[in-house]
Amino acid sequence: MIRTPPFKGWYKAWKNRATLKVGSFKAPLLTLPSILSALGIRKLALMKLDCEGCEWDIVRGALDTGLWGSVTSSFGELHALCAYPEMNITNCLPRGLTLTQAATVWTELCAGKGYTFEWGCEEPKFGLLGADVASVLQARLCGRPNAKTWQQVGWDALCKGG
C-alpha cells in the first residue's frame, strides 16, 4: 500500500526545500532504543544512516549504550557539518562531540567490519581527528594521483603536509 504524504503540495515543498520556509511544526521524537524496545527487536541485520550530520550523535549514543553491538552491518553517509574548504575540524562536528568521540565514530563507520560508508570516509579533513584516522585516510587517499576538487584543501594537508 502506498501512503501519500500528509499535506497537499508536498512535492513542491520537497523540491524547493532549500529555499522554502514552511514554518514550525511539532513532531514526536522517537529514539532508536525506544523503537527497538517497543517492537521487541534485539538485533539489527542492516542499518542505513544518512541523516545529514546526525549520524555522529546516533552512532555515539549507540556505542555509549551498547546498542551498536546489535547492528550487524550498516551503510550510508557520514557528513561533515561544514563547507568543504573548512579545515577547523571542530567546526565540522556536532556541538558537544569531542575529537576522541568523533574519531571513535569515524573509525567504527569507516574502518569497522560490516560497515560501508561512502560519504565522509574519504573526507581528508577527518584526518584531523587524530593519528589513527589520519593513517587510514593516508593509506586510502595519498597514493592516488589527484584528489577530487572538493577534497583538494584537505588532501593537500593530509598527503602533502600543507
Side-chain angles (χ1 to χ4, degrees):
M1 171 165 85
I2 298 174
R3 294 184 183 213
T4 58
F7 62 92
K8 196 172 188 174
W10 70 271
Y11 179 76
K12 184 177 179 184
W14 174 254
K15 186 176 159 191
N16 299 316
R17 68 190 179 276
T19 57
L20 186 66
K21 295 189 180 206
V22 293
S24 63
F25 63 93
K26 290 184 179 182
L29 174 65
L30 299 173
T31 64
L32 183 58
S34 69
I35 294 169
L36 297 178
S37 176
L39 297 174
I41 297 172
R42 293 184 182 172
K43 191 137 188 93
L44 292 174
L46 179 65
M47 178 182 213
K48 180 173 192 271
L49 287 171
D50 181 3
C51 48
E52 307 306 314
C54 70
E55 305 90 1
W56 299 95
D57 288 328
I58 289 173
V59 174
R60 182 189 65 170
L63 286 166
D64 290 348
T65 62
L67 177 65
W68 194 249
S70 68
V71 178
T72 304
S73 67
S74 181
F75 72 100
E77 299 179 357
L78 181 61
H79 296 88
L81 304 178
C82 60
Y84 295 124
E86 174 67 58
M87 288 304 292
N88 181 345
I89 195 65
T90 57
N91 291 338
C92 303
L93 301 170
R95 286 186 199 125
L97 189 71
T98 67
L99 291 180
T100 301
Q101 290 169 327
T104 300
V105 169
W106 187 94
T107 300
E108 193 64 37
L109 295 179
C110 299
K113 294 179 182 173
Y115 307 121
T116 304
F117 278 72
E118 54 193 344
W119 191 265
C121 292
E122 292 196 357
E123 171 58 66
K125 73 178 74 185
F126 289 140
L128 298 170
L129 292 174
D132 292 341
V133 173
S135 66
V136 171
L137 283 168
Q138 286 167 339
R140 287 184 187 169
L141 301 176
C142 296
R144 295 181 185 173
N146 294 312
K148 297 173 187 171
T149 304
W150 61 266
Q151 292 177 316
Q152 194 64 52
V153 172
W155 189 86
D156 287 345
L158 180 71
C159 300
K160 295 182 179 179

